[in-house]
Each structure stands twice: as structure tokens, then as C-alpha cells.
Amino acid sequence: EVKNSANSFMFFDERIKAELILHREIENHMEQALQNAEFEVYYQPKFNMQNNHMMGAEALVRWNSSHNGFLNPAQFIGVFEDNGFIIQLDFYVLEEVCKFINEQLIAGQHVVPISVNQSRLHLSEKDYLKKLKKLVQRYNIPAGSIELELTETAFADLQDVAESKAIFAAVKNLGFLTSMDDFGSGYSSLMLLNAISLDVLKLDRSFLAASEDSARTRDILEKIIEMGHKLKMQVICEGVETKEQANMLLSVNCLFAQGFLYARPMPQAKFKEFMEEQLAM
Ligand code: C2E
Ligand code: CA
Ligand code: CA
Ligand code: CA
């Protein structure tokens, strides 16, 4: 017993030490990594579960670090949110997506709408709208081809509802769609849904973590989805891994899904092929 707990304590200690070291490594190398193009945009398709057609994709960042190997967002996004570097990284990802859309269109290829994650920090930046506008103009981005995903905590942060309303109106004017990401994972933002009109309601995968036959979860989902539709929002659920989950979602009128059942996040070159195959079908 005693030996075991001492071991697990040591293990815990070692793990914290390793995390602190990685944290410092990340901060030491992030600027150079951005310049060296070590950050790579992966794309995860979104599907219409009713007809199995791809209807969009989400851009998700990865870090091929020359110092620390391949890193997933869970390992570095939090650090960047704390030190503010996320502002630069998010714009890099957004610009890569803009470039990709622009290249596809110039080549006469179709492209599905692509969503991009935006940290809450952007909303308090003075030049956020100006920077968005520059990208739209520079890459000739058609209205409706990029969706900005913000988590509900970002909305909850907003002090001034009138000001946020104005920001979102301006973002829409530039042609961006807006999405409330991870809905249901944190504290409720129902009042914000009332105050600010968004295009997409993205249900957190925690709704699916409970067993798919849980009647309570299903009832709650049904009402949330109904509310989303009443508010004229597109409702999509993330983290769909099984056919049972897809069927359950369809039974409560959620048509759209993102999840391993349909496709995993993939590098741009692979996504380009995937999209061309899907759209040719
Ligand atoms: P998110 O925005 O909720 O993105 C969805 C996450 O769920 C992705 O993890 C995706 O790979 C994962 N996922 C998709 N389908 C399934 C599934 O069926 N099962 C399971 N278990 N997972 C699934 P990922 O790529 O590791 O990203 C994690 C989080 O990091 C994202 O969560 C997002 O909050 C953040 N993130 C990623 N890229 C960016 C970025 O460019 N900017 C910002 N600000 N945050 C980002
Ligand atoms: Ca997201
Ligand atoms: Ca999400
Ligand atoms: Ca999530």
C-alpha cells in the first residue's frame, strides 16, 4: 500500500515536472515555429447524416515541432491562451484556410465551407475586424465560405452585450458565418443566444459520452436542437463515433455531424483529395 502510494506520488511529481518542461519548451520555440511553418492545418470533414454528403469541414491545428515532435492542440493551445500567442496562431490558421479556399476556387475546384476556431481573446482586440477584412479582401473569400467557431465561454466573457452585438454584426457583414462551439460543455449561454444571433449551434460531444440510449440525454438533446432550429441555427453535433449515435441524433432531428464515424482530421493534401472524391459522388 505504502509503497504503491509513494510510487504514484512520484509518478505524479514526474508528470508535473515533464509538463512544466514542455510548457517552457513550447514558450521558447513558439515564435520560431510559426516562422518555420511548423504549425500545420488539418481538416476534419462534416457530414449530413441523412444523405451521407460532406457539407463542410473544421480546420484544426497541429504542431510538427522540430524540438518536441508532433504535438496536439491539447498540449499547446492552453499555453498560448495564457500568454496571448493564440492571437497570432489563430490568424495564421485562418490565413492558411483563406489561401486554400482561394487556390481551390482559382483552380476551378469546389470547396465546402470551412470553420476555424477563434479564441475568445480576439474579441477584445481592437483591430480584430480590420484584420478579418484584410484577409477577406486579399484572398477574395466568398461570403459564407468561412465559419468562425467561438466557444460559449468566449461569449460569457463579454461584458457589454451591445458591443458584442456590434462585433458580430460586423463579422457577418464581412461574410463570415458564426458558430457557438462546444455548446453544453460549460455554463449555459442561453441568454447570449437570445442576445446575439449566430448561424450555427455546435453541440459538444459530452452529450454523446452518456450512453446513447439514455432517455434523459435524448430528451435534453431534442429540446436543445428544437431551440436551435427555432432560432434559425444550423445544428451540428461533434464527436460522433458510432452508427448508433448518428441514428440517435437523427431521431431528434439533428442532421449534421463531425466525428470519427465519418472522417478523422487530415492534412490539407489528403483533405483536398477527400473533398474531390466526395463532391464527385
Ligand atoms: P474542438 O474545437 O472541440 O475540436 C474538435 C476536437 O474533437 C478535435 O480535437 C477533433 O480531432 C476531435 N474529434 C473530432 N471527432 C471526434 C470523435 O469522433 N471522437 C473524439 N474522441 N474526438 C473527435 P483536436 O484537433 O485535438 O483539437 C482540440 C481542441 O483544440 C479543439 O476542440 C479546439 O478547442 C482547440 N483547437 C484546435 N485547433 C485550434 C486553433 O487553430 N485555434 C484555437 N483557438 N483552438 C484550436
Ligand atoms: Ca471547434
Ligand atoms: Ca467543438
Ligand atoms: Ca469540444
Side-chain angles (χ1 to χ4, degrees), residues 5-235:
S5 71
N7 273 343
S8 59
F9 179 76
M10 253 169 61
F11 175 71
F12 186 61
D13 192 50
E14 287 299 308
R15 208 185 64 195
I16 288 182
K17 217 166 113 193
E19 255 169 38
L20 285 174
I21 290 170
L22 182 62
H23 186 124
R24 202 167 45 212
E25 279 285 302
I26 283 172
E27 293 206 303
N28 285 342
H29 298 299
M30 60 189 191
E31 308 265 359
Q32 193 61 50
L34 193 60
Q35 268 153 35
N36 294 351
E38 290 182 13
F39 292 101
E40 183 177 0
V41 181
Y42 274 47
Y43 295 81
Q44 186 180 27
K46 297 176 186 171
F47 273 76
N48 177 326
M49 293 181 280
Q50 218 164 36
N51 59 18
N52 281 313
H53 285 170
M54 178 169 62
M55 42 67 76
E58 176 174 12
L60 295 159
V61 74
R62 302 289 180 260
W63 183 358
N64 303 302
S65 169
S66 51
H67 294 88
N68 302 298
F70 184 85
L71 300 176
N72 279 309
Q75 295 169 280
F76 56 83
I77 294 286
V79 179
F80 295 167
E81 276 176 342
D82 289 344
N83 67 21
F85 187 68
I86 194 70
I87 301 264
Q88 283 176 72
L89 181 61
D90 279 352
F91 262 95
Y92 175 79
V93 171
L94 182 58
E95 182 156 12
E96 290 294 300
V97 170
C98 288
K99 274 186 205 161
F100 177 60
I101 290 176
N102 177 259
E103 282 165 18
Q104 286 289 105
L105 294 178
I106 283 177
Q109 303 279 358
H110 286 287
V111 64
V112 290
I114 294 172
S115 63
V116 180
N117 291 288
Q118 297 282 277
S119 158
R120 72 228 267 178
L121 296 185
H122 294 287
L123 298 179
S124 43
E125 286 274 288
K126 265 195 135 50
D127 53 354
Y128 182 54
L129 291 169
K130 228 188 281 170
K131 281 155 75 183
L132 288 180
K133 188 174 178 180
K134 243 166 96 181
L135 285 181
V136 170
Q137 289 173 339
R138 179 156 181 215
Y139 295 100
N140 235 318
I141 297 301
S145 50
I146 295 184
E147 183 183 308
L148 302 178
E149 295 194 4
L150 285 127
T151 58
E152 59 180 351
T153 51
F155 297 95
D157 261 4
L158 299 174
Q159 301 279 313
D160 186 338
V161 174
E163 196 187 323
S164 0
K165 259 183 150 158
I167 294 176
F168 282 91
V171 165
K172 278 195 189 187
N173 250 325
L174 291 172
F176 292 99
L177 299 172
T178 53
S179 171
M180 189 181 281
D181 197 5
D182 295 345
F183 187 78
S185 65
Y187 35 101
S188 167
S189 298
L190 289 176
M191 293 316 289
L192 278 148
L193 281 184
N194 184 32
I196 300 167
S197 78
L198 302 167
D199 303 294
V200 180
L201 191 61
K202 198 166 191 192
L203 304 175
D204 194 68
R205 75 162 168 274
S206 55
F207 283 114
L208 303 176
S211 79
E212 49 267 2
D213 52 29
S214 152
R216 279 171 76 87
T217 308
R218 197 182 165 282
D219 284 348
I220 292 169
L221 269 176
E222 185 165 32
K223 289 303 166 199
I224 290 175
I225 291 157
E226 189 183 316
M227 176 195 71
H229 289 155
K230 280 227 170 92
L231 294 173
K232 308 225 158 34
M233 299 172 89
Q234 182 192 75
V235 181

Side-chain angles (χ1 to χ4, degrees), residues 246-261:
N247 287 336
M248 188 273 287
L249 286 165
L250 280 170
S251 79
V252 290
N253 298 317
C254 177
L255 298 188
F256 305 110
Q258 180 180 341
F260 297 165
L261 176 64

